[in-house]
């Protein structure tokens, strides 16, 4: 069963702690390009990790999501189950609509369901922004986060958030991309090309619109951050870029899958504002299946109870 009595904050913290996330500067600490995070204890066969991720999937898919980060962390899963909603979620994770065509079904699982779960993992990894050791000399605390896409095919940023440095009361924007391409290098190239456009200000209206929504979720009348998110030039050195990709090798060629990160984001002042992780996918497909299986089992149990009560 899922953790319906745990808050989102408890679930995310437990997952992040279980993964034992470590970081390193690449290529070295003398002239660093970016930070690479490694999930030392990510275990695609861990029942506990599967259960925690399944619960987060359920929370997102029911539409119970907050943009205020403090509210999100306090939030409990929706416990008023609607039959139609449960059926829709179950269909999403089983891919039952495509089951009669093996090729289309496998494409759906690979290109829609699995990327959704990977994107959720990238939201858990957003905790790295608050890693004091990694972000020093900053002391960042997440304030607001944009809604997760209910459909991984939807266009737009995979992740958008606002963090505050409690040392100088300054705010920073967090922009994230998640890629699960057949070729990891292709996914990295796509994401870094996107970051390059953001860094240059070419897509600033899109960023401004999303970030204003995030800012409005937590700010008070005396702290109008949303009105300050106007010109790119004011924020270009205050953007943290995050990239999460699948990777079928723990040893990328030429030392780093993300070696072009710095080249594509020249306006980033600090290496710690470029963050990335490559989650080894050797057995991740099994993880996706087990997460979906547990979620479907939970929903079927709820549907039985609804019928029984009705």
């Amino acid at each position: 069963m899922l953790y319906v009595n745990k808050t989102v904050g408890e679930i995310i913290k437990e997952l992040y702690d279980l993964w034992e996330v470590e970081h390193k500067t690449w290529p070295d600490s003398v002239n660093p390009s970016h930070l690479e995070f490694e999930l030392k204890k990510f275990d695609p066969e861990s029942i506990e990790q599967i259960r925690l991720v399944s619960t987060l999937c359920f929370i997102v898919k029911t539409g119970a999501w907050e943009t205020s980060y403090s509210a999100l962390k306090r939030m409990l899963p929706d416990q008023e189950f609607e039959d139609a909603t449960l059926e829709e979620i179950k269909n999403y994770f089983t891919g039952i609509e495509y089951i009669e065509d093996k090729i289309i079904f496998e494409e759906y699982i690979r290109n829609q369901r699995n990327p959704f779960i990977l994107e959720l993992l990238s939201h858990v990894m957003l905790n790295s922004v608050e890693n004091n050791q990694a972000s020093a000399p900053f002391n960042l605390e997440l304030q607001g986060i944009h809604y997760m896409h209910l459909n991984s095919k939807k266009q737009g940023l995979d992740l958008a958030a606002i963090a505050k440095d409690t040392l100088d009361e300054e705010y920073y924007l967090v922009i994230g991309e998640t890629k699960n391409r057949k070729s990891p290098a292709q996914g990295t190239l796509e994401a870094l090309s996107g970051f390059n456009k953001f860094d240059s200000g070419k897509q600033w209206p899109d960023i401004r619109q999303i970030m204003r929504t995030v800012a409005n979720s937590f700010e008070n009348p005396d702290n109008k951050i949303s009105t300050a998110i106007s010109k790119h030039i004011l924020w270009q050195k205050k953007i943290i870029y995050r990239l999460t990709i699948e990777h079928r090798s723990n040893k990328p060629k030429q030392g780093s899958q993300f070696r072009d990160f710095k080249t594509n984001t020249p306006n980033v002042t600090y290496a710690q504002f470029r963050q990335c992780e490559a989650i080894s996918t050797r057995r991740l497909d099994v993880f996706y299946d087990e997460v979906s299986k547990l979620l479907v089992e939970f929903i079927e149990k709820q549907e039985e109870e609804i019928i029984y009560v009705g």
Side-chain angles (χ1 to χ4, degrees):
M1 298 300 287
L2 305 189
Y3 286 119
V4 293
N5 294 317
K6 287 182 181 288
T7 66
V8 173
E10 290 171 329
I11 295 169
I12 289 177
K13 185 178 186 308
E14 285 184 32
L15 260 177
Y16 194 77
D17 290 345
L18 283 172
W19 289 344
E20 291 189 13
V21 179
E22 295 183 357
H23 72 278
K24 64 178 181 180
T25 55
W26 190 89
D28 52 53
S29 58
V30 177
N31 186 29
S33 163
H34 56 263
L35 294 188
E36 295 188 9
F37 290 83
E38 183 179 359
L39 289 65
K40 302 290 289 188
K41 294 292 181 69
F42 172 78
D43 183 359
E45 296 178 346
S46 164
I47 299 301
E48 179 69 1
Q49 294 185 34
I50 290 169
R51 189 178 177 187
L52 290 166
V53 173
S54 293
T55 305
L56 287 178
C57 285
F58 178 76
I59 292 169
V60 174
K61 274 297 184 180
T62 55
W65 188 259
E66 296 283 350
T67 51
S68 166
Y69 205 68
S70 60
L72 176 66
K73 291 196 290 186
R74 295 193 304 268
M75 188 183 71
L76 282 166
D78 185 2
Q79 296 188 41
E80 294 183 4
F81 306 110
E82 297 178 4
D83 193 25
T85 301
L86 293 175
E87 190 68 16
E88 183 179 347
I89 297 172
K90 183 171 69 173
N91 291 345
Y92 183 88
F93 285 93
T94 60
I96 195 169
E97 297 176 41
Y98 311 96
I99 200 71
E100 293 183 1
D101 189 314
K102 185 174 185 290
I103 295 177
I104 295 177
F105 172 75
E106 290 179 349
E107 182 178 297
Y108 167 80
I109 294 299
R110 182 175 61 251
N111 296 331
Q112 291 196 51
R113 189 202 68 180
N114 291 358
F116 171 83
I117 300 174
L118 181 65
E119 187 173 321
L120 187 143
L121 299 185
S122 75
H123 276 69
V124 176
M125 283 302 296
L126 185 61
N127 275 256
S128 63
V129 172
E130 293 188 340
N131 184 327
N132 293 335
Q133 184 180 1
S135 65
F138 302 92
N139 186 42
L140 299 172
E141 291 183 358
L142 293 165
Q143 305 294 304
I145 180 172
H146 201 246
Y147 294 111
M148 264 196 69
H149 293 157
L150 293 180
N151 187 328
S152 60
K153 285 295 184 181
K154 187 175 180 179
Q155 295 297 311
L157 288 175
D158 293 333
L159 185 152
I162 294 178
K164 179 182 180 181
D165 184 0
T166 60
L167 300 177
D168 60 11
E169 300 295 306
E170 290 287 333
Y171 287 89
Y172 296 83
L173 309 185
V174 184
I175 293 173
E177 289 287 344
T178 308
K179 300 295 181 183
N180 73 322
R181 299 295 182 262
K182 186 175 182 179
S183 166
Q186 179 189 351
T188 305
L189 179 62
E190 288 179 15
L192 294 183
S193 296
F195 287 165
N196 184 264
K197 292 179 182 177
F198 301 146
D199 193 63
S200 66
K202 292 179 180 177
Q203 292 182 290
W204 187 246
D206 296 331
I207 302 296
R208 180 172 57 197
Q209 185 180 62
I210 291 173
M211 290 303 180
R212 279 182 170 171
T213 301
V214 177
N216 287 335
S217 73
F218 68 85
E219 65 183 17
N220 57 57
D222 297 324
N223 185 24
K224 287 294 181 183
I225 308 168
S226 64
T227 59
I229 303 174
S230 54
K231 296 182 180 298
H232 176 257
I233 193 171
L234 301 176
W235 289 90
Q236 64 178 3
K237 296 184 184 301
K238 298 174 65 177
I239 299 178
I240 300 168
Y241 293 97
R242 295 215 83 262
L243 172 57
T244 303
I245 66 166
E246 289 185 353
H247 204 296
R248 297 191 179 272
S249 171
N250 290 325
K251 296 181 179 180
K253 294 180 180 179
Q254 300 184 37
S256 174
Q257 177 69 54
F258 312 99
R259 57 187 173 274
D260 296 323
F261 208 152
K262 186 175 183 178
T263 303
N264 282 280
T265 53
N267 286 312
V268 174
T269 310
Y270 304 96
Q272 57 267 44
F273 283 8
R274 301 184 189 96
Q275 302 184 359
C276 47
E277 54 266 346
I279 302 177
S280 178
T281 56
R282 200 164 299 167
R283 293 175 297 161
L284 199 51
D285 292 340
V286 175
F287 180 74
Y288 293 143
D289 289 340
E290 290 301 315
V291 165
S292 301
K293 179 182 176 182
L294 184 62
L295 182 50
V296 169
E297 289 175 352
F298 172 77
I299 289 173
E300 290 177 342
K301 180 68 174 176
Q302 301 308 314
E303 288 177 325
E304 289 176 6
E305 293 180 5
I306 289 174
I307 294 173
Y308 178 77
V309 173

